[in-house]
Amino acid sequence: MTDIPFLSLAIWIPILGGLLVLATGPDTNARMARVAALLTAILGFAVTIPLYARFETGSFAMQFEELRPWIEYFNINYHLGVDGISLWFVLLNAFMTIIVVIAGWTSIQSRVAQYMAAFLIMSGLMNGIFSALDGVLFYVFFEASLIPLYLIIGIWGGPNRVYAAFKFFLFTLAGSLLLLLALIYLYNTTGSFEILEWHRTPVAVGAQTLIFFAFLAAFGVKVPMWPVHTWLPDAHVEAPTGGSVVLAAIALKLGAYGFVRFALPIVPDACREFTWLVVGLSLVAVVYIGFVALAQTDMKKLVAYSSVSHMGFVTLGFFLHNQLGIEGALVQMISHGFVSGAMFLCIGVLYDRVHSRQIADYGGVVNTMPKFAAFFMLFAMANAGLPATSGFVGEFTVILGAMQESFLIAFLAATTLILGAAYTLWMYKRVVFGAVANEKVAGLTDINRREFFFLALLALCVLAMGLYPFPFTDVMHASVNHLLEHVNGKMLPL
Amino acid sequence: MSFDVSNLYSATAEVFVAIMILAIMLATAFARDIARGLAYVLTQLTLIVATFITFFTLEATSDFAFSNMFVRDPPGGILKLMVYLSMMVALLYGRGYLADRKLDRPEYYLLALLTTLGMMVMITANHLLILYVGLEMMSLALYALVAFDRDTARSTEAGMKYFVLGALASGLLLYGMSMIYGATGGSLELSAVHQAVASKGVDKTVLLFGLVFLVAGISFKLGVAPFHMWVPDVYQGSPTAVTLILSSAPKLAAFALALRLLASALPELAGHWQSMLLFVAAMSIVLGNLAALIQHNIKRMLAYSGISHMGFMLMGLLSGGEASAAATGYSSAMFYAISYALMTLAAFGMVVLLSREGFEAENIEDFKGLNRRNPWFALLMLFVMFSMAGIPFFVGFFAKFSVLQAVIQAGHFWIAVLAVTMSLIGAFYYLRVVKFMYFDEPVDNTPLNASGELQVMLSLNGVAIALLGLMPGTLLKWCEGAMRAAFVVGG
C-alpha cells in the first residue's frame, strides 16, 4: 500500500529531533530549543496521521509492517507494525508530546534543551514500544524509556525528587527483568523473538504459569496494579507537570498494552487460570484505591490514586475475556490518556501560580479564574465518568462486559462511578468553589492564550470521544475479535 | 623438539613487541632529554603495528607452532586485538594524569609493554608452562606498575598486597598444573592433557584436586569471589592510570587463561569445573553488587562492580562445555569480557578526566553537578553507567542478554534469576552516580582542563558503547564464529 515507513518515522523523528534539540546546548539558546522541540513534536505527530487515515479497518492483521534483520546472531529483527489495538496509542503518544512541549514552554526555565530533548526521546521510544513486533525490540524500547523519565523526575522534580526517581526506576526495572527472562525462555523454546510467532506457538502448561507471573510482574508494576502501585503517587507528586502528564497519559498504558500484546495471546491458558487473581487485584484497585483517593489532601496525589483506580478498570476489562471488556478497557486507556493528562495540566496551571498542590491552600478559584474553572469542570466530570465525556464510554462498556460474567464483579466495578465522582468533585468543590480562600487565590490571573490552547485541544478530544467514540472503537473490532478467538479457543490438553 | 624458522611467522607479533621493548629501553637510555615523550610515542606505535600484524595474520582455523606449545586461533586473535586496543586507550587516558604527578617515566611504558607481551603469550599458549610464563610476565610487570608511585604509602601498600596475594595465586595455579601433569602421565601440552584425560585410566582424584587449584588460580586472576580480596584495595591504591590498565586488558588475558585451561585442556571435566564456576559466579555477583552499594570511593565502587561483572562473564563460560553449546556459551563470555573492557576503560577514563594536578577525583561526590560543568561528558558517563547497569540501548545490555541466554539454554535457570535480581540491586549504585551528575549542583566549579586527545578518545569510547549497543550484531557474530572455529569439531 505504501512504501513510506511511517512507523519508523514516528519513532526516529522525535529521537533524532531530541538529539538535535540537545545540541542547542545552554539556556541562552532556550528559545531555539523550544521552537525546535515544538516543530519536531508537530512533525512527529504529522507522520502518525497517515497511520489512521490509511488504516484498513476490517483487518486484524498487522499493518504498516517493516521487517529488517537487526541482530542476526540471535534472530532479532527490527520488526514494526500496528493493529487496531496499538494504532491509537501511537497517535495519542505523538499528540500528547505536542501538548507537553507547549505546557513546558515557560514553566521550565532551567536546562530547557535537556528538558525538551528528554520528552522527545521518550516519545520516540514509547512509539517504539507500541509498534514493536519483536520481543527484544519491545524490551529494548521498554527499558530505555525509563532513562528519560528518571532524568525528568530527578532533575526538574519537587523537593523529594531523588527518592521518587529511584523508586520509579527500581520498581519498574524489577518487573521488567523477569520479563527479560521470560522472553529468553520463549526464544529458547521457539528459536525466534517474533511476537506473532509466539502467539502461534503453544507453550506447555507449567511454563505458561511461570511466564504468566513474569508478565504479571513486569506489566503489573507498570500499570500499576495494587499492591505494587506505591511508586506512582510518589513519582507523580515529585515530577514536573509535563512528566506527570506523560507518565499518566502514556507510560501507564505501556503496562496495560503489555497484557494484551503478550500475556493474553502468548499464555492464554495461564491467563484464564489466573483470571481470579487479576480480577481480584483490579477490583481492589478500583474500590480500595478509590477510597484512598478520597482521603488525599494533595491534588496531584489524588489524581495519581484516581489513575491507579482507573487503570484497575483496564486490567479488569482485559481479563473478562469478552469483547465488551477488552474494547471498553482499550477505550478507557485512550480516554484516561486525555483526561488524566488534562487533570495534571490543570493542577500544573494552578501550581505555576501558587506553588502549592495542597487542596487546603485553594478555594474560590472560580472567582479569579473563570475560564480555567470551566475547563477544570469538564475534565473533572470526565474523570468521574459523566456521560457525553470520554470517561463514560470506557467505564460503561467495561461494566457491561463485567455484567456478562458476574453480577458481583459488575457491582463492585460500578462503585467507581460513585467513588470517582465523590473524590473528583469533592476536590473540585474545595478548590474552585466557595469564598476566595486567601490572598494568593485573590491575586490569581486567568489562563493565558497558550494555556487556553492546550486545554481547549484536550477538551475537544474528551468531548469528541464521549459523543462519537466510533472512530476509536471501529478500528479495534477486528483485532479484538481475533484476539478473543485466539484466547478462548486455545485450551491445551492438560 | 625440532625447530623450524617458519615457526617464527606464527609469533611475529610477540617477537616484534619483544624487540621493541629492548629498542625502547635503549632509545630512552640514550635520548634522555626526550625520553618521556619518546617512550610514549614508541609504545603506542608498537601497539599499533602489533595490531596490524595480528590483524593481517588472523587465521580462520587453529595454527600450531613450536611443537604445539603455541597456538594461533580465532578467539586468541580477537582477544589479542582487544588487549592492544585496551592498552592503547589506557595509556592514552593515563598520559596526562601521569605527567601531572611526575610519574611519566619511560619505565612506565616499558612495564606496560612487558605486561602486554605477557598477556599475548598467555593468550597464545597451548602448554601449561608457557601459560605460566606468560602469566608471570604479565603479573610481575603489573606488580611494579601498581607500586609505580613509589613515594606514596598507598601505592606501595597496594603493590605489596597485590604481589603477596598474586604470588600465592600463581603458586596455587602451578601446584594445580603439577597435579594435572602427574595425573595425566607427564602431559604439559594442552591437547595432550585433553587426550590423556579422555582416555580411561587417569587418576580422577589427583586430577580433580589439581582442577580445584586451577580454578582457584584463575579466579584470583579474574578477581572473583572468594578470591577477590585484593581487587578493591589494589584498584584504589594504584595511580588511576594503572587502575585503567589493571581493570581492562588483564581481564581479557585471564579469560583466555580460563578458556585454555578449562575449555581446551579439560573439557572432559566440564561438569566439575562448571559447578565450581557456578558457585564462584553466584558468589561474585552477590558479593560484588552488595559491597558496591555502600562505597563512597568511585574506584572501590567500580572495583566491586567489576567483581560482579566478572561473575556475569563466568556465567557465560560455564554454560559452554557441551559440544553444541560451546560456541554459544564461550562466545557470550567473550562478548561480555570485551564489552566490560570498553565500559571500564570509559569509567576510569572519566575518573582521570575529573582529576587534575594535586586533586584525585576519587569520591562519587566528585561527580556532583557534572551536567552543569560539562554536559557532554556527563552524558557519556550516563552512557557508561546505564551500560554497566545493563539498560538498553547500550552494549552492556546485550552483554548481559547474551550471557543470560546462554545460561538459560544450559539449564541453569536459578542462577539467571539470581543474576537479574542482583543486577536490580546493582542498578541502584549506577543510578546514584547519575543522580550526583544530574540531580545535584556542583560543589567544585573548576573547569575540566584535560588534554584534547583524552577528550576525543573518551568521546569515541562513550559513543562506541552506545553504537555497539545499537548494532551489536557484528561483534557477536565474530565472537561466535571464533569460538565455533576453535571448539566445535567440523564447525
Side-chain angles (χ1 to χ4, degrees):
Chain A
M1 194 167 68
T2 170
D3 290 316
I4 306 172
F6 287 111
L7 286 172
S8 278
L9 289 177
I11 296 170
W12 295 106
I13 285 179
I15 293 180
L16 296 177
L19 294 178
L20 272 181
V21 170
L22 201 57
T24 61
D27 284 340
T28 43
N29 296 335
R31 192 171 168 72
M32 195 159 79
R34 290 187 187 115
V35 173
L38 183 61
L39 290 178
T40 310
I42 292 173
L43 189 63
F45 179 59
V47 296
T48 61
I49 292 172
L51 292 177
Y52 179 72
R54 300 190 187 183
F55 192 82
E56 257 182 79
T57 311
S59 157
F60 62 79
M62 289 293 164
Q63 304 187 27
F64 307 99
E65 272 193 85
E66 293 170 38
L67 178 60
R68 244 171 253 123
W70 180 27
I71 304 168
E72 286 174 62
Y73 175 57
F74 284 120
N75 201 3
I76 299 172
N77 296 312
Y78 178 77
H79 190 179
L80 303 175
V82 284
D83 62 0
I85 293 172
S86 48
L87 171 70
W88 271 105
F89 297 109
V90 176
L91 278 109
L92 176 69
N93 178 21
F95 175 73
M96 291 310 281
T97 308
I98 303 181
I99 304 266
V100 163
V101 169
I102 300 174
W105 201 262
T106 53
S107 58
I108 298 297
Q109 288 296 345
S110 116
R111 310 188 215 184
V112 179
Q114 292 184 357
Y115 179 85
M116 295 297 177
F119 278 102
L120 289 173
I121 291 172
M122 177 125 146
S123 155
L125 292 174
M126 290 193 296
N127 272 340
I129 302 173
F130 288 123
S131 49
L133 292 181
D134 182 283
V136 175
L137 193 64
F138 174 90
Y139 184 81
V140 160
F141 282 125
F142 193 73
E143 287 273 86
S145 71
L146 298 181
I147 302 175
L149 200 49
Y150 169 75
L151 294 176
I152 289 166
I153 298 174
I155 299 179
W156 295 278
N160 203 13
R161 59 186 197 276
V162 176
Y163 171 75
F166 273 77
K167 196 170 177 183
F168 155 75
F169 197 102
L170 294 176
F171 261 68
T172 324
L173 188 66
S176 51
L177 284 171
L178 292 174
L179 172 66
L180 180 64
L181 293 183
L183 297 186
I184 292 176
Y185 176 84
L186 284 167
Y187 169 72
N188 282 345
T189 29
T190 63
S192 160
F193 275 114
E194 284 291 320
I195 296 175
L196 298 179
E197 177 69 33
W198 292 345
H199 288 189
R200 288 189 287 269
T201 316
V203 182
V205 173
Q208 279 207 21
T209 309
L210 289 177
I211 294 173
F212 171 79
F213 279 102
F215 286 155
L216 185 64
F219 303 131
V221 170
K222 198 84 180 180
V223 165
M225 293 171 76
W226 184 85
V228 283
H229 64 282
T230 58
W231 64 270
L232 186 74
D234 287 314
H236 266 317
V237 168
E238 298 304 327
T241 305
S244 292
V245 172
V246 170
L247 192 58
I250 318 293
L252 301 190
K253 309 301 175 294
L254 302 174
Y257 173 75
F259 277 113
V260 253
R261 183 62 80 225
F262 285 87
L264 287 174
I266 295 176
V267 286
D269 304 302
C271 283
R272 300 166 61 86
E273 188 70 29
F274 291 102
T275 294
W276 59 271
L277 178 66
V278 180
V279 167
L281 293 177
S282 305
L283 287 174
V284 172
V286 169
V287 180
Y288 167 70
I289 300 294
F291 278 109
V292 172
L294 206 53
Q296 297 308 312
T297 56
D298 179 313
M299 287 191 280
K300 261 189 159 178
K301 236 179 183 157
L302 189 145
V303 181
Y305 280 113
S306 105
S307 285
V308 178
S309 166
H310 283 128
M311 291 309 287
F313 240 83
V314 173
T315 45
L316 172 68
F318 286 154
F319 280 79
L320 291 172
H321 304 297
N322 60 39
Q323 193 195 1
L324 285 171
I326 294 184
E327 285 191 8
L330 288 170
V331 171
Q332 167 81 348
M333 279 161 77
I334 301 166
S335 151
H336 180 255
F338 291 131
V339 176
S340 67
M343 288 297 280
F344 281 115
L345 285 169
C346 286
I347 297 168
V349 165
L350 287 176
Y351 183 80
D352 286 345
R353 289 166 170 72
V354 182
H355 296 288
S356 166
R357 293 181 308 259
Q358 295 301 317
I359 297 174
D361 288 343
Y362 294 90
V365 170
V366 68
N367 299 310
T368 43
M369 301 175 74
K371 279 189 263 176
F372 169 77
F375 278 122
F376 199 12
M377 181 71 169
L378 173 72
F379 297 131
M381 289 298 183
N383 201 39
L386 185 81
T389 63
S390 63
F392 173 73
V393 186
E395 287 184 6
F396 188 66
T397 325
V398 172
I399 293 172
L400 284 182
M403 197 61 97
Q404 290 182 356
E405 295 300 313
S406 127
F407 172 76
L408 185 66
I409 296 176
F411 175 78
L412 287 172
T415 55
T416 193
L417 293 172
I418 302 165
L419 285 171
Y423 58 70
T424 318
L425 298 184
W426 190 33
M427 173 191 80
Y428 185 79
K429 183 222 141 206
R430 283 179 291 171
V431 170
V432 176
F433 294 142
V436 172
N438 52 40
E439 283 170 21
K440 275 188 173 168
V441 175
L444 283 176
T445 50
D446 208 345
I447 47 177
N448 58 32
R449 273 186 306 173
R450 189 177 50 81
E451 289 161 339
F452 184 87
F453 174 72
F454 62 70
L455 289 179
L457 215 52
L458 282 170
L460 275 179
C461 296
V462 168
L463 283 176
M465 200 175 166
L467 293 170
Y468 189 60
F470 179 74
F472 294 91
T473 53
D474 184 39
V475 296
M476 290 172 191
H477 292 315
S479 297
V480 170
N481 282 333
H482 178 67
L483 175 70
L484 275 170
E485 275 170 31
H486 180 80
V487 175
N488 293 341
K490 199 167 124 183
M491 269 303 244
L492 282 180
L494 287 169
Chain B
M1 261 193 213
S2 64
F3 181 74
D4 185 346
V5 183
S6 68
N7 280 329
L8 284 175
Y9 168 76
S10 302
T12 321
E14 283 80 3
V15 173
F16 171 74
V17 173
I19 291 174
M20 284 306 286
I21 292 173
L22 299 174
I24 295 171
M25 195 157 24
L26 281 176
T28 51
F30 285 102
R32 289 202 160 253
D33 312 338
I34 51 163
R36 288 158 201 263
L38 187 69
Y40 173 74
V41 172
L42 284 178
T43 304
Q44 291 286 29
L45 213 60
T46 308
L47 289 169
I48 292 169
V49 174
T51 308
F52 277 104
I53 296 175
T54 305
F55 186 77
F56 286 108
T57 54
L58 275 182
E59 299 265 344
T61 52
S62 302
D63 164 36
F64 295 91
F66 299 108
S67 319
N68 281 354
M69 287 201 277
F70 195 94
V71 63
R72 224 153 39 86
D73 56 358
I78 293 180
L79 283 173
K80 267 201 234 173
L81 289 174
M82 285 313 299
V83 165
Y84 305 145
L85 183 69
S86 308
M87 291 303 295
M88 280 190 266
V89 173
L91 292 177
L92 192 151
Y93 286 169
R95 192 184 181 202
Y97 177 94
L98 293 169
D100 285 346
R101 286 155 189 77
K102 309 273 179 287
L103 289 173
D104 58 340
R105 293 190 291 270
E107 298 84 58
Y108 180 84
Y109 298 104
L110 284 173
L111 287 169
L113 273 186
L114 268 171
T115 193
T116 313
L117 184 61
M119 292 182 226
M120 292 163 74
V121 172
M122 270 168 89
I123 292 171
T124 35
N126 192 38
H127 190 275
L128 292 178
L129 283 183
I130 306 292
L131 261 178
Y132 184 75
V133 168
L135 178 70
E136 282 305 277
M137 195 193 286
M138 172 188 95
S139 304
L140 285 169
L142 282 178
Y143 303 145
L145 279 175
V146 169
F148 202 74
D149 192 3
R150 60 183 179 205
D151 298 329
T152 64
R154 261 193 1 183
S155 180
T156 39
E157 184 198 326
M160 184 55 92
K161 216 173 253 174
Y162 191 28
F163 174 66
V164 171
L165 290 173
L168 184 69
S170 298
L172 289 179
L173 197 69
L174 202 56
Y175 193 43
M177 284 177 178
S178 73
M179 285 192 200
I180 304 277
Y181 175 74
T184 56
S187 318
L188 281 173
E189 192 200 302
L190 298 188
S191 27
V193 171
H194 180 188
Q195 275 157 16
V197 177
S199 66
K200 304 280 180 274
V202 177
D203 188 346
K204 277 271 162 110
T205 321
V206 181
L207 205 58
L208 287 181
F209 211 62
L211 181 66
V212 173
F213 285 101
L214 288 189
V215 170
I218 292 168
S219 303
F220 179 89
K221 295 296 167 189
L222 280 172
V224 284
F227 305 97
H228 64 282
M229 312 296 186
W230 62 276
V231 180
D233 292 343
V234 173
Y235 275 31
Q236 188 189 6
S238 317
T240 311
V242 178
T243 316
L244 266 166
I245 296 179
L246 265 181
S247 67
S248 52
K251 305 283 183 203
L252 295 168
F255 169 67
L257 178 75
L259 200 64
R260 298 281 182 229
L261 281 179
L262 302 178
S264 301
L266 299 168
E268 309 297 327
L269 301 182
H272 295 280
W273 56 258
Q274 279 171 0
S275 47
M276 290 180 213
L277 289 186
L278 204 60
F279 172 75
V280 169
M283 211 169 152
S284 312
I285 293 170
V286 172
L287 193 139
N289 278 316
L290 291 182
L293 278 181
I294 49 168
Q295 301 305 322
H296 295 290
N297 183 299
I298 185 129
K299 283 163 87 177
R300 282 188 89 81
M301 187 203 98
L302 288 172
Y304 280 112
S305 106
I307 294 172
S308 85
H309 280 292
M310 285 300 112
F312 259 96
M313 195 275 284
L314 284 182
M315 274 170 47
L317 193 65
L318 67 87
S319 8
E322 308 300 326
S324 56
T328 326
Y330 300 150
S331 69
S332 71
M334 184 150 94
F335 184 77
Y336 203 101
I338 292 172
S339 317
Y340 174 69
L342 280 178
M343 295 189 287
T344 187
L345 281 172
F348 283 110
M350 210 58 80
V351 177
V352 169
L353 179 85
L354 290 186
S355 305
R356 55 178 179 272
E357 201 171 342
F359 173 71
E360 299 278 339
E362 277 204 327
N363 292 319
I364 304 179
E365 274 83 4
D366 294 329
F367 279 81
K368 261 190 182 169
L370 186 61
N371 184 37
R372 283 268 191 224
R373 293 169 68 192
N374 190 325
W376 171 241
F377 285 108
L379 186 70
L380 291 181
M381 187 64 176
L382 176 128
F383 284 5
V384 179
M385 288 296 114
F386 279 119
S387 179
M388 283 194 169
I391 307 289
F393 287 88
F394 304 106
V395 66
F397 167 71
F398 284 101
K400 286 212 163 72
F401 177 85
S402 55
V403 162
L404 286 173
Q405 194 270 330
V407 88
I408 291 177
Q409 198 171 36
H412 304 296
F413 200 76
W414 68 267
I415 198 176
V417 174
L418 179 80
V420 296
T421 316
M422 284 298 143
S423 46
L424 178 68
I425 292 171
F428 176 80
Y429 56 83
Y430 298 122
L431 283 179
R432 202 167 55 143
V433 177
V434 176
K435 177 232 162 201
F436 279 124
M437 291 192 301
Y438 278 85
F439 305 173
D440 291 345
E441 293 301 317
V443 267
D444 169 8
N445 268 315
T446 329
L448 305 176
N449 58 347
S451 69
E453 52 179 17
L454 170 61
Q455 298 201 12
V456 171
M457 194 63 226
L458 202 52
S459 306
L460 287 178
N461 197 166
V463 171
I465 287 171
L467 281 185
L468 270 177
L470 282 172
M471 292 288 151
T474 319
L475 185 58
L476 273 167
K477 222 185 308 182
W478 281 353
C479 292
E480 202 259 357
M483 289 302 178
R484 184 171 292 280
F487 287 99
V488 181
V489 182

